[in-house]
Amino acid sequence: MSPRPPARRGACPAFLAPMETGDGLILRLVPAEGAISPDQLRGLARAATAFGNAMMEITARGSLQVRGLRAETVAPLQDAVLALGITPRLGLAIDISPLSGLDVMEIADARPLARRIREEMAGFADKLGPKVSVVIDGGGAISLAGQKADVRLIARHSGADARWSVTIGGGTPELLTEPDAATLALDTLSRIAALGRRARATDLPGCAAVPGASSDRNRAPSTPLGTFPLAHGRFACGIGLPFGAGAADLFANLADAAEASGAHDLRPATERVLLATGLDADGAHAFAMAARRLGCLTTPDDPRAFVAACPGAPACVCAHYPARDLAPGVAEALAPLLDGTVTVHLSACAKGCAHPTPATLTFVGMDDGIALVHEGAPSGARGPAVPVDVLAAMLATLAGTPRAPGETGRGLLARMQKAGLPAGLWLREGNDRPMVKT
Ligand code: SF4
């Protein structure tokens, strides 16, 4: 039996179009300039408590979310956001590093290119579907390689200048000057718009996704936890929300800690991270220590950094199991395998909201149980599923198998999967098809 297909509940939550889910409506907010002040974050936390269920999230793409709204509380929350002086990004998602323009490691500042694309697409922007996205990666300390994109631009050194490697859908990258890269991106978006609101870049001739292909093999995904040097001797400090979520009080406490540490602003970042910027070295340390006391992730080797989990039951109506509730136990149980080579995804249905690319292991909710996918997307899960209450035994078997000398966690899992061990666990052969659409 196949996984129950997730109900189509609109595309994704947005600031002007909150999405219905198990615990009410979710409103997604991306600050237009990427940053908010500690005071604005405190105000947002107050609004999330007054108008939602006091749960907030930072997504894998670096968006803020407020959960548990009711139809009659959406407008008051939107008003509160605007009254706080936060300008939400509307329209096409153009993702850049939250440290663009500050990062001493970046090859090029992505902001001018993002600005030009946004300004010049105004004539056809409303004809693009809500899932179309552009990623502009300036080649700095924070990689955006884990973000799916219809149009991906990555800065490259080219002699004394920078060039942009541009990939359309699953096509072959082209190395272009900045004006030519902007022209190609705009032309592509206009061609997608001409195909209608369900169209994506992969629908364009020659741009289909190739199984196993990567748009740029030279740029690996990264989780921006830890300290990053900025211009003028300042630092950014990235801390992680456990599995991307927390009570509004946690966000307010983080705002207080950032302010007390001397931060200039706060920036939601990829992989469920919150960056405080403008810190001196002591301030960066103080913010990280405060965040750790609050239960947040502060180093990239925290086992929780390798586990993504969607909210699951009861928060989402599509869920077959309580993914986020189980996530801390999964991270703890699998810690011996989480050596940086393994990613784990708890997806309470086949939609795979929490992890846009295939993980090493995905525990997919189906038939009110769990199926396991190795090196594949949740949509590749096939039954029969095992009951949720045998998960602990599954994890103990996986984590308790000794590694061969020099073997990575990922290597061990591949060996076990090939051998069909432990019996009954590997419910599905490896499926390396990348997820093209969500
Ligand atoms: S992946 Fe999780 S959050 Fe997304 S629709 Fe399925 S159950 Fe809901």
Side-chain angles (χ1 to χ4, degrees), residues 65-432:
Q65 291 189 160
V66 176
R67 298 193 71 96
L69 298 166
R70 302 183 307 281
E72 64 275 20
T73 61
V74 169
L77 181 75
Q78 291 164 332
D79 290 345
V81 167
L82 299 178
L84 287 163
I86 302 172
T87 305
R89 180 183 76 189
L90 302 176
L92 178 70
I94 302 179
D95 291 327
I96 63 174
S97 164
L99 299 182
S100 293
L102 299 173
D103 182 355
V104 294
M105 308 287 288
E106 72 185 2
I107 297 168
D109 182 351
R111 292 174 302 173
L113 197 43
R115 215 172 290 131
R116 178 173 167 197
I117 292 172
R118 187 168 296 287
E119 283 168 9
E120 296 190 18
M121 60 173 282
F124 58 83
D126 61 342
K127 298 187 173 59
L128 287 167
K131 294 223 166 199
V132 175
S133 68
V134 176
V135 164
I136 309 178
D137 185 336
I142 298 180
S143 164
L144 304 184
Q147 310 306 310
K148 289 197 288 186
D150 293 80
V151 181
R152 183 182 304 277
L153 305 97
I154 304 176
R156 294 268 170 247
H157 287 298
S158 176
D161 299 328
R163 291 278 191 277
W164 293 90
S165 165
V166 185
T167 306
I168 310 299
T172 307
E174 276 188 76
L175 199 61
L176 300 170
T177 63
E178 185 160 317
D180 288 347
T183 301
L184 177 56
L186 284 159
D187 177 60
T188 301
L189 292 169
S190 141
R191 288 164 59 213
I192 297 171
L195 293 178
R197 284 179 60 82
R198 295 186 73 91
R200 304 293 297 270
T202 46
D203 297 320
L204 297 172
C207 299
V210 179
S214 163
S215 55
D216 197 314
R217 294 177 189 280
N218 299 316
R219 189 84 167 135
S222 65
T223 300
L225 291 169
T227 303
F228 302 93
L230 304 179
H232 312 300
R234 293 278 148 175
F235 296 90
C237 177
I239 60 94
L241 273 293
F243 312 107
D249 281 353
L250 172 63
F251 284 78
N253 290 336
L254 287 168
D256 291 345
E259 194 167 63
S261 305
H264 179 261
D265 60 39
L266 290 155
R267 301 176 182 223
T270 53
E271 302 305 332
R272 306 165 185 89
V273 166
L274 185 66
L275 287 157
T277 73
L279 298 157
D280 62 20
D282 289 344
H285 180 72
F287 180 61
M289 289 303 100
R292 180 178 294 182
R293 285 193 293 276
L294 291 168
C296 295
L297 291 69
T298 56
T299 57
D301 60 355
D302 187 314
R304 295 174 294 174
F306 305 107
V307 179
C310 76
C316 181
V317 289
C318 301
H320 294 256
Y321 74 97
R324 195 172 278 156
D325 289 351
L326 295 179
V330 171
E332 192 180 342
L334 292 183
L337 293 179
L338 302 178
D339 57 359
T341 65
V342 173
T343 49
V344 177
H345 181 187
L346 304 186
S347 185
C349 82
K351 189 178 178 193
C353 297
H355 196 276
T357 52
T360 318
L361 290 181
T362 304
F363 295 89
V364 184
M366 56 183 293
D367 304 333
D368 295 324
I370 296 179
L372 185 61
V373 174
H374 177 244
E375 305 282 5
S379 54
R382 298 290 180 271
V386 298
V388 176
D389 58 12
V390 305
L391 181 64
M394 276 183 173
L395 300 173
T397 307
L398 289 169
T401 305
R403 281 195 240 173
E407 190 175 46
T408 63
R410 188 177 185 183
L412 169 67
L413 290 169
R415 179 161 62 84
M416 291 177 74
Q417 195 273 337
K418 232 176 234 163
L421 294 172
L425 175 55
W426 300 106
L427 302 170
R428 162 87 177 144
E429 288 294 310
N431 165 18
D432 61 0

